Amino acid sequence: MPAYQELVKKYTKRRKDTLVDSVTAGLSYADNVAVQLGLMEDSALVDTVFSAAPFAIIAVTEQMKVIMGRKTGKAGFGDAVQRMLKTGAAMSVGALASAVAGPAAAIPAAVGTRALLNKYKSKSMLNLRVNERTVRLRALRERRQGAVSPDLRPALPAGITYMDGQTEIR
């Protein structure tokens, strides 16, 4: 079971990923805002680049963690998929907000959605960890209280018998 400081270090690193993902999802709508304000011309290439940028950044950062040995390939792939799903959901909500309330509403909607998804995941993972530890503590308590029946004890070699929780050699 990891120590408290190890968990703090692990989740502090994840907050950096969340910030990077939120910023890139928000920047994917910055081109729409810039076009609406007349700061930039509308271009299909710019739309494609800004829409694909968050997913490319996620793929590159997760692959770098695998290459540097901080994650296994399987863990890196799973984390990349989760981050991409959250980013895709945030971008979808941002697109909906942009259609309903204008491009200026897309950025806060995308970043807010991502933050809500992270908060939900964090609370659900905490709940899962608490439940698993509760089950483990119950099992340890039952074992300590001698919940094991004498019939389930392992067989001892010839000449050794059980006596009140101690072994006796004859």
Side-chain angles (χ1 to χ4, degrees), residues 25-63:
L27 287 176
S28 68
Y29 292 106
D31 68 326
N32 292 336
V33 174
V35 168
Q36 292 292 325
L37 295 174
L39 302 173
M40 203 168 83
E41 290 186 30
D42 195 11
S43 168
L45 177 62
V46 172
D47 285 343
T48 304
V49 168
F50 275 104
S51 296
F55 301 105
I57 289 172
I58 290 169
V60 169
T61 56
E62 289 298 330
Q63 187 61 36

mmCIF file of all heavy atoms in Angstrom, residues 25-63:
data_model
loop_
_atom_site.group_PDB
_atom_site.id
_atom_site.type_symbol
_atom_site.label_atom_id
_atom_site.label_comp_id
_atom_site.label_asym_id
_atom_site.label_seq_id
_atom_site.Cartn_x
_atom_site.Cartn_y
_atom_site.Cartn_z
ATOM 1 N N ALA A 25 -7.647 22.677 -24.407
ATOM 2 C CA ALA A 25 -9.062 22.628 -24.801
ATOM 3 C C ALA A 25 -9.608 24.044 -24.951
ATOM 4 O O ALA A 25 -10.376 24.330 -25.874
ATOM 5 C CB ALA A 25 -9.881 21.852 -23.779
ATOM 6 N N GLY A 26 -9.217 24.936 -24.046
ATOM 7 C CA GLY A 26 -9.645 26.326 -24.156
ATOM 8 C C GLY A 26 -9.061 27.008 -25.379
ATOM 9 O O GLY A 26 -9.744 27.775 -26.066
ATOM 10 N N LEU A 27 -7.792 26.730 -25.691
ATOM 11 C CA LEU A 27 -7.167 27.333 -26.861
ATOM 12 C C LEU A 27 -7.778 26.838 -28.162
ATOM 13 O O LEU A 27 -7.714 27.528 -29.177
ATOM 14 C CB LEU A 27 -5.661 27.054 -26.854
ATOM 15 C CG LEU A 27 -4.847 27.836 -25.836
ATOM 16 C CD1 LEU A 27 -3.391 27.395 -25.870
ATOM 17 C CD2 LEU A 27 -4.972 29.325 -26.072
ATOM 18 N N SER A 28 -8.380 25.660 -28.125
ATOM 19 C CA SER A 28 -9.007 25.159 -29.345
ATOM 20 C C SER A 28 -10.192 26.036 -29.754
ATOM 21 O O SER A 28 -10.587 26.053 -30.919
ATOM 22 C CB SER A 28 -9.452 23.711 -29.174
ATOM 23 O OG SER A 28 -10.511 23.636 -28.253
ATOM 24 N N TYR A 29 -10.738 26.796 -28.802
ATOM 25 C CA TYR A 29 -11.825 27.731 -29.127
ATOM 26 C C TYR A 29 -11.335 29.159 -29.301
ATOM 27 O O TYR A 29 -12.089 30.030 -29.700
ATOM 28 C CB TYR A 29 -12.900 27.685 -28.038
ATOM 29 C CG TYR A 29 -13.621 26.370 -28.053
ATOM 30 C CD1 TYR A 29 -13.386 25.424 -27.076
ATOM 31 C CD2 TYR A 29 -14.478 26.051 -29.086
ATOM 32 C CE1 TYR A 29 -14.014 24.202 -27.110
ATOM 33 C CE2 TYR A 29 -15.109 24.828 -29.133
ATOM 34 C CZ TYR A 29 -14.865 23.907 -28.140
ATOM 35 O OH TYR A 29 -15.478 22.693 -28.189
ATOM 36 N N ALA A 30 -10.076 29.400 -29.022
ATOM 37 C CA ALA A 30 -9.532 30.747 -29.154
ATOM 38 C C ALA A 30 -9.583 31.224 -30.596
ATOM 39 O O ALA A 30 -9.779 32.408 -30.852
ATOM 40 C CB ALA A 30 -8.109 30.803 -28.620
ATOM 41 N N ASP A 31 -9.413 30.298 -31.552
ATOM 42 C CA ASP A 31 -9.484 30.707 -32.959
ATOM 43 C C ASP A 31 -10.882 31.190 -33.322
ATOM 44 O O ASP A 31 -11.044 32.144 -34.070
ATOM 45 C CB ASP A 31 -9.020 29.581 -33.878
ATOM 46 C CG ASP A 31 -9.955 28.385 -33.885
ATOM 47 O OD1 ASP A 31 -10.545 28.088 -32.827
ATOM 48 O OD2 ASP A 31 -10.094 27.743 -34.950
ATOM 49 N N ASN A 32 -11.913 30.547 -32.783
ATOM 50 C CA ASN A 32 -13.284 30.988 -33.050
ATOM 51 C C ASN A 32 -13.526 32.390 -32.503
ATOM 52 O O ASN A 32 -14.166 33.226 -33.148
ATOM 53 C CB ASN A 32 -14.307 30.025 -32.450
ATOM 54 C CG ASN A 32 -14.311 28.687 -33.135
ATOM 55 O OD1 ASN A 32 -13.916 28.572 -34.290
ATOM 56 N ND2 ASN A 32 -14.716 27.655 -32.415
ATOM 57 N N VAL A 33 -13.027 32.641 -31.301
ATOM 58 C CA VAL A 33 -13.179 33.962 -30.693
ATOM 59 C C VAL A 33 -12.420 34.997 -31.511
ATOM 60 O O VAL A 33 -12.934 36.092 -31.770
ATOM 61 C CB VAL A 33 -12.691 33.939 -29.226
ATOM 62 C CG1 VAL A 33 -12.697 35.334 -28.630
ATOM 63 C CG2 VAL A 33 -13.547 32.997 -28.396
ATOM 64 N N ALA A 34 -11.201 34.651 -31.950
ATOM 65 C CA ALA A 34 -10.392 35.580 -32.737
ATOM 66 C C ALA A 34 -11.054 35.886 -34.073
ATOM 67 O O ALA A 34 -11.022 37.027 -34.550
ATOM 68 C CB ALA A 34 -8.998 35.017 -32.950
ATOM 69 N N VAL A 35 -11.677 34.900 -34.705
ATOM 70 C CA VAL A 35 -12.380 35.126 -35.970
ATOM 71 C C VAL A 35 -13.587 36.039 -35.743
ATOM 72 O O VAL A 35 -13.835 36.970 -36.520
ATOM 73 C CB VAL A 35 -12.819 33.784 -36.610
ATOM 74 C CG1 VAL A 35 -13.798 34.006 -37.745
ATOM 75 C CG2 VAL A 35 -11.600 33.027 -37.101
ATOM 76 N N GLN A 36 -14.338 35.804 -34.661
ATOM 77 C CA GLN A 36 -15.509 36.633 -34.364
ATOM 78 C C GLN A 36 -15.118 38.077 -34.066
ATOM 79 O O GLN A 36 -15.851 39.002 -34.397
ATOM 80 C CB GLN A 36 -16.279 36.057 -33.171
ATOM 81 C CG GLN A 36 -16.947 34.738 -33.449
ATOM 82 C CD GLN A 36 -18.093 34.876 -34.443
ATOM 83 O OE1 GLN A 36 -18.791 35.873 -34.458
ATOM 84 N NE2 GLN A 36 -18.254 33.870 -35.285
ATOM 85 N N LEU A 37 -13.961 38.282 -33.447
ATOM 86 C CA LEU A 37 -13.516 39.635 -33.139
ATOM 87 C C LEU A 37 -12.810 40.288 -34.322
ATOM 88 O O LEU A 37 -12.450 41.453 -34.252
ATOM 89 C CB LEU A 37 -12.573 39.613 -31.932
ATOM 90 C CG LEU A 37 -13.191 39.183 -30.598
ATOM 91 C CD1 LEU A 37 -12.116 39.077 -29.535
ATOM 92 C CD2 LEU A 37 -14.286 40.149 -30.174
ATOM 93 N N GLY A 38 -12.589 39.541 -35.394
ATOM 94 C CA GLY A 38 -11.941 40.088 -36.581
ATOM 95 C C GLY A 38 -10.429 40.125 -36.479
ATOM 96 O O GLY A 38 -9.774 40.783 -37.280
ATOM 97 N N LEU A 39 -9.865 39.436 -35.504
ATOM 98 C CA LEU A 39 -8.415 39.420 -35.345
ATOM 99 C C LEU A 39 -7.732 38.421 -36.271
ATOM 100 O O LEU A 39 -6.535 38.493 -36.491
ATOM 101 C CB LEU A 39 -8.044 39.091 -33.894
ATOM 102 C CG LEU A 39 -8.604 40.019 -32.825
ATOM 103 C CD1 LEU A 39 -8.278 39.462 -31.440
ATOM 104 C CD2 LEU A 39 -8.037 41.413 -32.987
ATOM 105 N N MET A 40 -8.507 37.502 -36.799
ATOM 106 C CA MET A 40 -7.948 36.438 -37.620
ATOM 107 C C MET A 40 -8.962 36.074 -38.699
ATOM 108 O O MET A 40 -10.166 36.193 -38.505
ATOM 109 C CB MET A 40 -7.685 35.224 -36.707
ATOM 110 C CG MET A 40 -6.679 34.265 -37.200
ATOM 111 S SD MET A 40 -6.221 33.096 -35.891
ATOM 112 C CE MET A 40 -7.526 31.908 -36.021
ATOM 113 N N GLU A 41 -8.464 35.621 -39.849
ATOM 114 C CA GLU A 41 -9.369 35.187 -40.912
ATOM 115 C C GLU A 41 -9.779 33.743 -40.682
ATOM 116 O O GLU A 41 -9.009 32.947 -40.154
ATOM 117 C CB GLU A 41 -8.680 35.317 -42.268
ATOM 118 C CG GLU A 41 -8.478 36.745 -42.708
ATOM 119 C CD GLU A 41 -7.921 36.816 -44.121
ATOM 120 O OE1 GLU A 41 -8.207 35.901 -44.923
ATOM 121 O OE2 GLU A 41 -7.220 37.786 -44.406
ATOM 122 N N ASP A 42 -10.995 33.402 -41.106
ATOM 123 C CA ASP A 42 -11.492 32.042 -40.964
ATOM 124 C C ASP A 42 -10.779 31.137 -41.960
ATOM 125 O O ASP A 42 -10.723 31.420 -43.141
ATOM 126 C CB ASP A 42 -13.004 32.018 -41.196
ATOM 127 C CG ASP A 42 -13.631 30.727 -40.711
ATOM 128 O OD1 ASP A 42 -12.935 29.964 -40.014
ATOM 129 O OD2 ASP A 42 -14.811 30.490 -41.014
ATOM 130 N N SER A 43 -10.222 30.051 -41.479
ATOM 131 C CA SER A 43 -9.477 29.126 -42.320
ATOM 132 C C SER A 43 -9.730 27.702 -41.850
ATOM 133 O O SER A 43 -9.716 27.429 -40.655
ATOM 134 C CB SER A 43 -7.983 29.456 -42.237
ATOM 135 O OG SER A 43 -7.223 28.420 -42.802
ATOM 136 N N ALA A 44 -9.963 26.811 -42.795
ATOM 137 C CA ALA A 44 -10.197 25.405 -42.451
ATOM 138 C C ALA A 44 -8.947 24.782 -41.837
ATOM 139 O O ALA A 44 -9.036 23.960 -40.929
ATOM 140 C CB ALA A 44 -10.614 24.628 -43.689
ATOM 141 N N LEU A 45 -7.774 25.197 -42.309
ATOM 142 C CA LEU A 45 -6.521 24.664 -41.777
ATOM 143 C C LEU A 45 -6.352 25.056 -40.315
ATOM 144 O O LEU A 45 -5.987 24.225 -39.472
ATOM 145 C CB LEU A 45 -5.337 25.180 -42.593
ATOM 146 C CG LEU A 45 -3.960 24.754 -42.095
ATOM 147 C CD1 LEU A 45 -3.811 23.236 -42.158
ATOM 148 C CD2 LEU A 45 -2.869 25.442 -42.872
ATOM 149 N N VAL A 46 -6.642 26.299 -39.980
ATOM 150 C CA VAL A 46 -6.509 26.758 -38.595
ATOM 151 C C VAL A 46 -7.509 26.016 -37.710
ATOM 152 O O VAL A 46 -7.175 25.602 -36.595
ATOM 153 C CB VAL A 46 -6.711 28.289 -38.505
ATOM 154 C CG1 VAL A 46 -6.774 28.754 -37.056
ATOM 155 C CG2 VAL A 46 -5.594 29.007 -39.246
ATOM 156 N N ASP A 47 -8.740 25.836 -38.196
ATOM 157 C CA ASP A 47 -9.735 25.081 -37.421
ATOM 158 C C ASP A 47 -9.264 23.660 -37.143
ATOM 159 O O ASP A 47 -9.406 23.150 -36.034
ATOM 160 C CB ASP A 47 -11.074 25.045 -38.164
ATOM 161 C CG ASP A 47 -11.825 26.355 -38.098
ATOM 162 O OD1 ASP A 47 -11.486 27.184 -37.221
ATOM 163 O OD2 ASP A 47 -12.743 26.555 -38.915
ATOM 164 N N THR A 48 -8.701 23.022 -38.159
ATOM 165 C CA THR A 48 -8.216 21.650 -38.002
ATOM 166 C C THR A 48 -7.066 21.580 -37.011
ATOM 167 O O THR A 48 -7.036 20.712 -36.138
ATOM 168 C CB THR A 48 -7.764 21.089 -39.367
ATOM 169 O OG1 THR A 48 -8.840 21.188 -40.285
ATOM 170 C CG2 THR A 48 -7.319 19.649 -39.248
ATOM 171 N N VAL A 49 -6.123 22.508 -37.144
ATOM 172 C CA VAL A 49 -4.957 22.506 -36.252
ATOM 173 C C VAL A 49 -5.394 22.734 -34.812
ATOM 174 O O VAL A 49 -4.970 22.013 -33.900
ATOM 175 C CB VAL A 49 -3.921 23.563 -36.692
ATOM 176 C CG1 VAL A 49 -2.859 23.766 -35.626
ATOM 177 C CG2 VAL A 49 -3.280 23.158 -38.009
ATOM 178 N N PHE A 50 -6.254 23.724 -34.571
ATOM 179 C CA PHE A 50 -6.681 24.015 -33.211
ATOM 180 C C PHE A 50 -7.565 22.906 -32.639
ATOM 181 O O PHE A 50 -7.547 22.668 -31.435
ATOM 182 C CB PHE A 50 -7.408 25.359 -33.134
ATOM 183 C CG PHE A 50 -6.479 26.529 -32.977
ATOM 184 C CD1 PHE A 50 -6.187 27.364 -34.033
ATOM 185 C CD2 PHE A 50 -5.879 26.787 -31.752
ATOM 186 C CE1 PHE A 50 -5.335 28.434 -33.883
ATOM 187 C CE2 PHE A 50 -5.026 27.853 -31.576
ATOM 188 C CZ PHE A 50 -4.746 28.686 -32.654
ATOM 189 N N SER A 51 -8.314 22.218 -33.468
ATOM 190 C CA SER A 51 -9.163 21.126 -32.976
ATOM 191 C C SER A 51 -8.346 19.887 -32.634
ATOM 192 O O SER A 51 -8.674 19.164 -31.699
ATOM 193 C CB SER A 51 -10.217 20.768 -34.022
ATOM 194 O OG SER A 51 -11.083 21.855 -34.230
ATOM 195 N N ALA A 52 -7.290 19.647 -33.400
ATOM 196 C CA ALA A 52 -6.470 18.453 -33.176
ATOM 197 C C ALA A 52 -5.366 18.673 -32.145
ATOM 198 O O ALA A 52 -4.837 17.703 -31.595
ATOM 199 C CB ALA A 52 -5.852 18.000 -34.491
ATOM 200 N N ALA A 53 -5.028 19.909 -31.857
ATOM 201 C CA ALA A 53 -3.904 20.210 -30.952
ATOM 202 C C ALA A 53 -4.042 19.568 -29.569
ATOM 203 O O ALA A 53 -3.074 18.979 -29.079
ATOM 204 C CB ALA A 53 -3.716 21.719 -30.830
ATOM 205 N N PRO A 54 -5.205 19.650 -28.903
ATOM 206 C CA PRO A 54 -5.288 19.035 -27.580
ATOM 207 C C PRO A 54 -5.003 17.534 -27.592
ATOM 208 O O PRO A 54 -4.311 17.020 -26.713
ATOM 209 C CB PRO A 54 -6.731 19.304 -27.131
ATOM 210 C CG PRO A 54 -7.172 20.464 -27.926
ATOM 211 C CD PRO A 54 -6.436 20.384 -29.221
ATOM 212 N N PHE A 55 -5.486 16.843 -28.611
ATOM 213 C CA PHE A 55 -5.290 15.397 -28.688
ATOM 214 C C PHE A 55 -3.837 15.053 -29.011
ATOM 215 O O PHE A 55 -3.290 14.079 -28.488
ATOM 216 C CB PHE A 55 -6.250 14.795 -29.709
ATOM 217 C CG PHE A 55 -7.689 15.066 -29.371
ATOM 218 C CD1 PHE A 55 -8.412 16.014 -30.065
ATOM 219 C CD2 PHE A 55 -8.311 14.402 -28.326
ATOM 220 C CE1 PHE A 55 -9.727 16.288 -29.731
ATOM 221 C CE2 PHE A 55 -9.619 14.660 -27.989
ATOM 222 C CZ PHE A 55 -10.332 15.605 -28.692
ATOM 223 N N ALA A 56 -3.205 15.868 -29.852
ATOM 224 C CA ALA A 56 -1.793 15.655 -30.174
ATOM 225 C C ALA A 56 -0.923 15.891 -28.937
ATOM 226 O O ALA A 56 0.011 15.124 -28.665
ATOM 227 C CB ALA A 56 -1.373 16.578 -31.312
ATOM 228 N N ILE A 57 -1.229 16.918 -28.165
ATOM 229 C CA ILE A 57 -0.456 17.214 -26.964
ATOM 230 C C ILE A 57 -0.602 16.089 -25.943
ATOM 231 O O ILE A 57 0.369 15.679 -25.311
ATOM 232 C CB ILE A 57 -0.873 18.584 -26.374
ATOM 233 C CG1 ILE A 57 -0.373 19.697 -27.301
ATOM 234 C CG2 ILE A 57 -0.339 18.763 -24.973
ATOM 235 C CD1 ILE A 57 -0.876 21.070 -26.958
ATOM 236 N N ILE A 58 -1.815 15.572 -25.797
ATOM 237 C CA ILE A 58 -2.031 14.452 -24.874
ATOM 238 C C ILE A 58 -1.222 13.232 -25.313
ATOM 239 O O ILE A 58 -0.547 12.595 -24.505
ATOM 240 C CB ILE A 58 -3.535 14.107 -24.777
ATOM 241 C CG1 ILE A 58 -4.282 15.220 -24.041
ATOM 242 C CG2 ILE A 58 -3.739 12.770 -24.080
ATOM 243 C CD1 ILE A 58 -5.785 15.108 -24.123
ATOM 244 N N ALA A 59 -1.279 12.908 -26.605
ATOM 245 C CA ALA A 59 -0.545 11.748 -27.112
ATOM 246 C C ALA A 59 0.955 11.909 -26.895
ATOM 247 O O ALA A 59 1.636 10.973 -26.450
ATOM 248 C CB ALA A 59 -0.855 11.542 -28.592
ATOM 249 N N VAL A 60 1.470 13.088 -27.170
ATOM 250 C CA VAL A 60 2.911 13.324 -27.020
ATOM 251 C C VAL A 60 3.326 13.262 -25.551
ATOM 252 O O VAL A 60 4.331 12.623 -25.208
ATOM 253 C CB VAL A 60 3.303 14.680 -27.656
ATOM 254 C CG1 VAL A 60 4.717 15.072 -27.271
ATOM 255 C CG2 VAL A 60 3.175 14.613 -29.172
ATOM 256 N N THR A 61 2.571 13.895 -24.654
ATOM 257 C CA THR A 61 2.970 13.905 -23.244
ATOM 258 C C THR A 61 2.905 12.512 -22.637
ATOM 259 O O THR A 61 3.797 12.126 -21.860
ATOM 260 C CB THR A 61 2.112 14.881 -22.409
ATOM 261 O OG1 THR A 61 0.736 14.538 -22.551
ATOM 262 C CG2 THR A 61 2.352 16.307 -22.826
ATOM 263 N N GLU A 62 1.887 11.740 -22.969
ATOM 264 C CA GLU A 62 1.799 10.376 -22.428
ATOM 265 C C GLU A 62 2.894 9.489 -22.996
ATOM 266 O O GLU A 62 3.466 8.660 -22.287
ATOM 267 C CB GLU A 62 0.417 9.772 -22.693
ATOM 268 C CG GLU A 62 -0.686 10.385 -21.874
ATOM 269 C CD GLU A 62 -0.528 10.202 -20.372
ATOM 270 O OE1 GLU A 62 0.057 9.195 -19.915
ATOM 271 O OE2 GLU A 62 -0.982 11.089 -19.642
ATOM 272 N N GLN A 63 3.208 9.657 -24.280
ATOM 273 C CA GLN A 63 4.269 8.856 -24.878
ATOM 274 C C GLN A 63 5.619 9.202 -24.273
ATOM 275 O O GLN A 63 6.446 8.327 -24.046
ATOM 276 C CB GLN A 63 4.309 9.055 -26.400
ATOM 277 C CG GLN A 63 5.277 8.133 -27.098
ATOM 278 C CD GLN A 63 4.927 6.661 -26.914
ATOM 279 O OE1 GLN A 63 3.780 6.279 -26.874
ATOM 280 N NE2 GLN A 63 5.943 5.826 -26.792
#
